[in-house]
Amino acid sequence: MNLAVFCSGFGSNFQAIIDVLARKKLDARIALMVCDNPKAFALKRAHRHGIPVVLISPGLFENRQAYEKVIVGILKSQDIGFVVLAGFMRILTPYFVKAYRGRILNIHPSYLPSFKGAHAIRDAFEAKVKTTGVTVHIVTEKLDSGPILLQKKVNVLKNDTLESLEKRIHAVEHTLYPQAIKKLISRKS
Ligand code: GAR
């Protein structure tokens, strides 16, 4: 099964998926990494592991759909079965969602439906909740709202700083995301 992983930044989830695949724990391969940010550290990870990169600036296009049309064309030409959003900080349009309906996964650093949006860890920390978490869900037209595949709670500890909480949430993400990918692939194939 060919995966395309989409990244905008650091790419630690991308790395976690690469590592699980290297241990042959997942019957899939990352055929492409799609990136919207030339400064993303994820590009270095792709290079290190010999993963082909599609780096296209959304700013070159007159609208989001025109940008996505080019990407969908590339994905189809490479026989991509699943799209894995790993810190891809762009909202996909209904056009893209339709092209890969039920086959786009996203990881979100909160226990959805709580704390949707781009700053979920900080928002949960500032709200002083006792528990937050990580969610992997299927992407639909509605932001951070598609069917949930896997979720795990993370307790906010008394002495937590935003940084220490982030660290624990990321560690949970790195095990939960590969599990969720496995679950979706076995369900769909
Ligand atoms: C992850 O924590 C992911 O859950 C979050 O961005 C981070 C990317 O880290 N995604 C969102 O907030 C999406 N709304 P990474 O680049 O190191 O994988």
Side-chain angles (χ1 to χ4, degrees):
M1 178 56 68
N2 287 334
L3 311 178
V5 181
F6 283 39
C7 302
S8 299
F10 190 52
S12 67
N13 281 286
F14 175 42
Q15 187 70 53
I17 299 162
I18 293 171
D19 294 346
V20 166
L21 287 170
R23 298 199 299 272
K24 309 230 184 304
K25 298 269 183 208
L26 205 60
D27 191 16
R29 66 185 267 267
I30 303 174
L32 280 182
M33 194 277 268
V34 176
C35 186
D36 62 342
N37 172 16
K39 295 192 174 133
F41 186 72
L43 291 167
K44 291 206 169 63
R45 299 183 193 272
H47 183 66
R48 252 184 229 155
H49 294 277
I51 295 170
V53 164
V54 173
L55 172 64
I56 309 177
S57 168
L60 297 170
F61 298 84
E62 60 188 23
N63 56 45
R64 285 155 66 207
Q65 193 171 318
Y67 170 66
E68 290 175 355
K69 269 195 173 161
V70 170
I71 294 177
V72 167
I74 296 169
L75 299 184
K76 299 282 180 193
S77 76
Q78 300 300 305
D79 198 23
I80 299 297
F82 291 96
V83 170
V84 177
L85 306 181
F88 189 64
M89 300 314 258
R90 305 185 60 78
I91 298 169
L92 298 174
T93 72
Y95 163 77
F96 192 101
V97 173
K98 195 170 163 217
Y100 272 90
R101 166 100 43 218
R103 292 176 171 266
I104 310 168
L105 274 184
N106 183 42
I107 188 153
H108 186 78
S110 76
Y111 203 83
L112 288 172
S114 298
F115 303 108
K116 296 177 181 176
H119 306 286
I121 306 179
R122 192 189 68 197
D123 293 346
F125 184 73
E126 287 177 357
K128 299 193 188 324
V129 291
K130 291 207 164 69
T131 310
T132 178
V134 173
T135 303
V136 180
H137 67 94
I138 292 170
V139 173
T140 60
E141 284 80 357
K142 222 168 148 212
L143 183 68
D144 296 336
S145 301
I148 290 169
L149 257 185
L150 283 180
Q151 266 186 316
K152 194 162 181 196
K153 288 192 173 154
V154 175
N155 290 330
V156 183
L157 307 177
K158 240 185 177 173
N159 297 328
D160 258 335
T161 59
L162 177 57
E163 291 68 32
S164 64
L165 179 62
E166 276 172 348
K167 213 170 159 188
R168 285 207 318 290
I169 287 186
H170 289 143
V172 169
E173 289 189 323
H174 299 160
T175 56
L176 202 70
Y177 214 0
Q179 286 171 21
I181 295 167
K182 196 172 186 175
K183 190 171 173 184
L184 185 66
I185 291 176
S186 61
R187 206 193 259 179
K188 292 269 182 187
S189 48

